[in-house]
Amino acid sequence: MDKLECLPYFAEGIVVKGYGRGSKELGIPTANFTEDVVRHLPCNLICGVYYGWACVDNGPVLPMVTSIGWNPYYHNTVKTMETHILHRFKEDFYGSHLKVILLGYIRDMEDYSSLGMLATFKF
């Protein structure tokens, strides 16, 4: 199946705490969906980085990128769906309702040789 066959794809759910690495280690905060949202992703939606739009608690619609997968640098054993909204929020929004629409595929998941290399990745 073509990896773009299931796009656009809409997902929504509550924002939960992730591993805390996006903000603390990389300076790139991400909003994490629950494992239930990830479990319900279409089977033909491959792991990788996607672009689209996001909305938090019915606020403004903002551009975003979403990473879906196991984050090879960290050797995760649980598949995640993490969204980086291209906007500066005044505070964390754990517990908020997040809606995203994935419009396109940017690239495959990549492994990095160091945290510094990961922090300078390109979408």
Side-chain angles (χ1 to χ4, degrees), residues 8-70:
Y9 180 75
F10 176 77
E12 66 179 310
I14 301 302
V15 177
V16 297
K17 278 192 177 267
Y19 298 106
R21 299 181 292 224
S23 292
K24 293 180 181 92
E25 291 184 13
L26 302 172
I28 304 167
T30 59
N32 296 272
F33 279 109
T34 63
E35 287 183 30
D36 188 54
V37 171
V38 178
R39 267 195 304 277
H40 287 93
L41 291 171
C43 60
N44 60 335
L45 188 69
I46 66 168
C47 294
V49 180
Y50 293 82
Y51 67 87
W53 299 98
C55 177
V56 178
D57 289 334
N58 294 316
V61 175
L62 301 164
M64 64 78 181
V65 291
T66 293
S67 170
I68 299 173
W70 287 269

Side-chain angles (χ1 to χ4, degrees), residues 50-105:
Y50 293 82
Y51 67 87
W53 299 98
C55 177
V56 178
D57 289 334
N58 294 316
V61 175
L62 301 164
M64 64 78 181
V65 291
T66 293
S67 170
I68 299 173
W70 287 269
N71 300 314
Y73 177 79
Y74 290 105
H75 308 290
N76 287 7
T77 57
V78 176
K79 186 176 183 179
T80 60
M81 182 175 180
E82 303 178 48
T83 300
H84 174 66
I85 301 171
L86 303 174
H87 177 77
R88 284 201 191 268
F89 290 90
K90 292 181 182 178
E91 55 191 37
D92 291 334
F93 48 90
Y94 299 119
S96 293
H97 190 85
L98 175 64
K99 298 176 188 174
V100 300
I101 186 157
L102 307 177
L103 296 176
Y105 183 80

